[in-house]
Amino acid sequence: MLAEIHPKLPMRDKNSTRKFYVEKLGFNEIGDYDHYLMVRKDTIEIHFFEFKELNPKENYGQIYIRTNDIDNLYQALLDNKVEIHPNGPLQTKPWGQKEFALLDPDTNLLTFGQSI
């Protein structure tokens, strides 16, 4: 019965969020409304709501994105000068996933993983 999920993350500034996701991560903007932004890449869609008072040090927003080509995705992000989380370089985890993580401009944690 359930078909898709589109997580909603907080953002302080729509322009910096758009720039990061479109220019750095390769998403396409699919919606721009008052205090709301939507982006998509392949089958992944992420929505953002404006939260100007967000304290990035207190933000616990996070999503896990599955991929079928983690090595090439990781290299493409490195080539595009995307900063990988210091505790999240590409590595194989004991739970059978190959993963890496990064933070967006508002410290939303994005973890990318592929089953091995």
Side-chain angles (χ1 to χ4, degrees):
M1 186 178 275
L2 301 178
E4 296 180 15
I5 187 168
H6 304 294
K8 293 165 64 171
L9 297 173
M11 67 178 169
R12 291 173 294 162
D13 178 72
K14 191 187 303 184
N15 288 329
S16 66
T17 298
R18 178 187 299 112
K19 183 176 181 174
F20 179 78
Y21 281 86
V22 172
E23 295 179 16
K24 291 290 193 179
L25 302 187
F27 281 75
N28 295 306
E29 181 181 319
I30 60 168
D32 182 353
Y33 307 96
D34 287 340
H35 317 291
Y36 205 80
L37 177 67
M38 300 182 318
V39 297
R40 178 183 295 144
K41 182 173 182 175
D42 301 323
T43 62
I44 302 302
E45 190 172 311
I46 307 173
H47 296 203
F48 300 90
F49 61 93
E50 185 177 76
F51 184 10
K52 289 193 179 288
E53 298 79 27
L54 176 69
N55 179 348
K57 293 180 180 178
E58 297 176 357
N59 183 12
Y60 297 101
Q62 51 187 296
I63 57 176
Y64 192 99
I65 302 171
R66 295 206 180 267
T67 178
N68 59 11
D69 194 1
I70 194 124
D71 294 308
N72 283 327
L73 175 62
Y74 187 72
Q75 189 59 54
L77 294 177
L78 290 176
D79 292 346
N80 204 24
K81 310 259 188 279
V82 174
E83 186 175 334
I84 303 302
H85 191 288
N87 297 325
L90 185 62
Q91 54 188 295
T92 300
K93 301 293 187 174
W95 48 87
Q97 296 289 311
K98 195 170 186 182
E99 298 178 350
F100 71 92
L102 54 93
L103 296 170
D104 78 2
D106 296 299
T107 66
N108 291 300
L109 179 67
L110 308 179
T111 303
F112 298 86
Q114 180 176 356
S115 295
I116 53 171

